[in-house]
Amino acid sequence: MTVAVVGGGISGLVVAWRLRSRGRAAVVLETTSRLGGAVGTRAKQGFLLETGPNSFLDREPATRELAGALNLEHKIRAADAAAKRRYVYTRGQLRSVPASPPAFLGSDILPWSAKLRVMGELFTGRAASGVDESLADFGRRHLGATATRVLLDAVQTGIFAGDVERLSVGATFPPLVKLEQEHRSLILGAIRTQRAQRKALPAGASSAPKLSGALSTFEGGLQTLIDALSASLGDDARVGATVEGLTRVGDRWRLAVNERGQRAELDASHVVLAAPAYVTQKLLQPLDAELAARVGGIEYAPIAVVQLGFDVGTTPAPDGFGFLVPPAEGRRLLGSIHASTVFPFRVEPGRVLYTCMVGGAKRPDLVGLDEPALVALAREELKALAGVTATPSLTEVFRWPLGIPQYNVGHLARMAAVDQSLTRWPGLSLTGNAYKGVGLNDCIRNGLQLADALVAAGG
Ligand SMILES: Cc1cc2nc3c(=O)[nH]c(=O)nc-3n(C[C@H](O)[C@H](O)[C@H](O)COP(=O)(O)OP(=O)(O)OC[C@H]3O[C@@H](n4cnc5c(N)ncnc54)[C@H](O)[C@@H]3O)c2cc1C
């Protein structure tokens, strides 16, 4: 069986890599001139800049398994301990996010009235079953309006850059819904889960010996993972190859491929569409308009990454992982990662790197600004929010017009309908961040699972 994988982001690469390591033939077709999609690291003027994602949590066995198989485990770099501290901009200043319930009671992250309302979470009732609730509605029921506006909206901004009133809690944070279903109260659920985990462990044992749980990257940045996958795939990962059409011919698939201006056809027994949803929609349109419409209905939030690098001695090293700005603050920054504090090896000693995020579902217009305007915006906001007045020696902008898929209310039903439609098309699969998880860990886990299912189905 030959599997054609459309899209050479992390999702497509992982599928092809796994198929090949299970002895199956697979080819990746990637439209741009490089593999990795949103994942990429550039070295510039002594700074290691991430183009999109910065890190992953070392708690996903699939990611560890992949790193191990690629001989990259020794290159995993955990974040500095300082990265455990995080900040949220609220009520006119950056405030530390408390790391424990006692710290929460003593912190100034929320006014007292809002903190008391959070404690009232213990008395929250369950939602009616089967309701696809918005993250905001779920948050207001459990934590109250202020905590939802300040904390929950900041957290989702850091992952989805979305609209808290539109995102589906079940699709974006399934563990929260599970906690509610099983324990009614999230606080009670968290306490009981922790207790159960402690009891299940023999004294002295750790819950997952190999997984540190730490925020992590690789030596050389996330590009190291892409390079290892690319090297393993060799010529079977083809860049500059745009898939323009897809047709069913008997029990096989025929792809129309435009490879650097040369049009060719490629036959495959199975096709994995790992491109963004709007590309997948176009490819599916002539084949199955209903399926295409379902996939095409997934919205994306644009995002711009503005890197600001500072020379030694020009600005103090910032504390903690970085800060998030709840959209209700009305600022123009989604947040900023203190990249040089989190992963000091990504800069020369003494230098400082801020990775600022702009845009998202609430301010998509900002991503259309030209590069000087985006740099000016990030500098003005960093000055206003974090007091950074120095002039950066390095500026770089990476723009993602269709950056983060939005799992809005209705996403779970949409996914069920997509899965149902796909039963009409044996030999066709979809994967990628648009469907069942946007994080790198999700993309890797889903990619490995899909490849294993294909191998199992193919005998
Ligand atoms: C700014 C930003 C910051 C992020 N931060 C984090 C983070 O810190 N941690 C984390 O876990 N996740 C993060 N994410 C999310 C994560 O990076 C992405 O969800 C993930 O990389 C998506 O991978 P993918 O392969 O599914 O999609 P993509 O990376 O979008 O890959 C799809 C590929 O398909 C190709 N393609 C498109 N059309 C065609 C065609 N017709 N023919 C052939 N190929 C085609 C594209 O060029 C692209 O390479 C971030 C995302 C962004 C944008």
Side-chain angles (χ1 to χ4, degrees):
M1 118 170 147
T2 303
V3 180
V5 180
V6 181
I10 185 72
S11 300
L13 292 176
V14 164
V15 174
W17 172 83
R18 178 67 135 213
L19 287 169
R20 298 223 336 178
S21 58
R22 296 276 191 259
R24 305 307 197 274
V27 57
V28 176
L29 302 157
E30 164 57 41
T31 184
T32 66
S33 58
R34 61 169 289 279
L35 297 169
V39 185
T41 313
R42 311 271 164 81
K44 191 176 171 192
Q45 293 170 225
F47 294 89
L48 265 189
L49 309 174
E50 294 292 357
T51 59
N54 269 257
S55 53
F56 61 92
L57 271 178
D58 183 23
R59 64 174 183 199
E60 171 54 55
T63 304
R64 265 288 171 156
E65 186 193 340
L66 178 67
L70 293 167
N71 199 20
L72 290 181
E73 266 185 322
H74 66 288
K75 292 197 171 178
I76 293 178
R77 293 280 177 273
D80 192 272
K84 288 210 167 77
R85 287 186 294 281
R86 289 168 183 251
Y87 294 85
V88 164
Y89 182 83
T90 177
R91 307 199 312 287
Q93 66 183 79
L94 294 180
R95 296 175 195 267
S96 174
V97 178
S100 66
F104 172 71
L105 287 178
S107 93
D108 64 355
I109 191 96
L110 296 178
W112 261 108
S113 55
K115 285 198 277 189
L116 287 174
R117 173 60 187 85
V118 171
M119 300 313 292
E121 200 278 333
L122 286 162
F123 306 103
T124 310
R126 284 187 179 87
S129 70
V131 176
D132 189 3
E133 201 177 19
S134 76
L135 192 53
D137 284 341
F138 181 90
R140 281 188 287 260
R141 266 192 318 108
H142 280 273
L143 308 168
T146 307
T148 298
R149 201 173 54 241
V150 175
L151 293 177
L152 198 55
D153 209 359
V155 169
Q156 75 74 17
T157 295
I159 303 170
F160 292 95
D163 179 345
V164 73
E165 299 290 344
R166 296 189 65 207
L167 290 172
S168 151
V169 63
T172 53
F173 295 96
L176 291 184
V177 175
K178 190 163 178 273
L179 269 187
E180 178 184 274
Q181 278 164 359
E182 290 174 1
H183 304 277
R184 185 184 50 75
S185 149
L186 305 180
I187 297 177
L188 274 182
I191 293 169
R192 286 178 188 152
T193 309
Q194 260 184 7
R195 259 195 221 143
Q197 280 170 349
R198 272 202 295 270
K199 262 195 202 154
L201 288 177
S206 92
S207 59
K210 284 184 75 186
L211 300 171
S212 67
L215 199 73
S216 303
T217 184
F218 294 94
E219 187 183 307
L222 291 171
Q223 181 71 39
T224 298
L225 178 61
I226 302 301
D227 288 346
L229 286 165
S230 313
S232 163
L233 289 167
D235 292 343
D236 287 334
R238 285 153 55 177
V239 293
T242 308
V243 177
E244 296 181 331
L246 180 64
T247 42
R248 188 87 171 139
V249 181
D251 63 350
R252 295 178 68 79
W253 294 94
R254 183 157 296 158
L255 293 92
V257 185
N258 184 339
E259 209 155 353
R260 298 190 185 86
Q262 302 275 18
R263 289 205 155 73
E265 286 178 340
L266 177 83
D267 282 356
S269 55
H270 200 111
V271 172
V272 173
L273 297 176
Y278 64 97
V279 174
T280 296
Q281 175 197 17
K282 277 192 199 142
L283 292 174
L284 292 174
Q285 186 63 37
L287 207 65
D288 185 333
E290 186 187 55
L291 173 57
R294 285 174 176 160
V295 171
I298 299 167
E299 294 176 26
Y300 281 74
I303 195 156
V305 180
V306 184
Q307 303 277 9
L308 301 179
F310 297 85
D311 265 340
V312 181
T314 54
T315 193
D319 178 56
F321 174 82
F323 63 87
L324 287 163
V325 187
E329 292 293 326
R331 307 295 319 191
R332 293 173 298 161
L333 211 57
L334 297 167
S336 179
I337 299 170
H338 300 157
S340 48
T341 305
V342 184
F343 297 119
F345 74 89
R346 284 183 40 202
V347 299
E348 285 168 8
R351 288 183 162 186
V352 169
L353 178 61
Y354 283 90
T355 300
C356 302
M357 304 287 179
V358 178
K362 290 288 191 70
R363 292 303 309 267
D365 54 307
L366 296 179
V367 179
L369 294 174
D370 64 17
E371 201 164 317
L374 275 167
V375 168
L377 178 161
R379 288 190 59 195
E380 284 160 22
E381 289 292 283
L382 264 195
K383 184 176 170 190
L385 307 185
V388 180
T389 52
T391 305
S393 59
L394 165 134
T395 63
E396 189 76 41
V397 173
F398 303 106
R399 229 186 288 258
W400 301 102
L402 292 144
I404 316 256
Q406 300 294 294
Y407 298 177
N408 289 331
V409 170
H411 188 79
L412 293 174
R414 184 189 296 281
M415 284 304 95
V418 164
D419 287 342
Q420 177 59 34
S421 300
L422 280 170
T423 59
R424 296 197 283 265
W425 299 103
L428 178 67
S429 311
L430 310 186
T431 196
N433 65 354
Y435 311 109
K436 295 177 182 170
V438 301
L440 293 172
N441 282 337
D442 302 309
C443 294
I444 292 170
R445 185 183 58 250
N446 292 334
L448 293 182
Q449 278 173 4
L450 172 59
D452 287 346
L454 296 187
V455 171

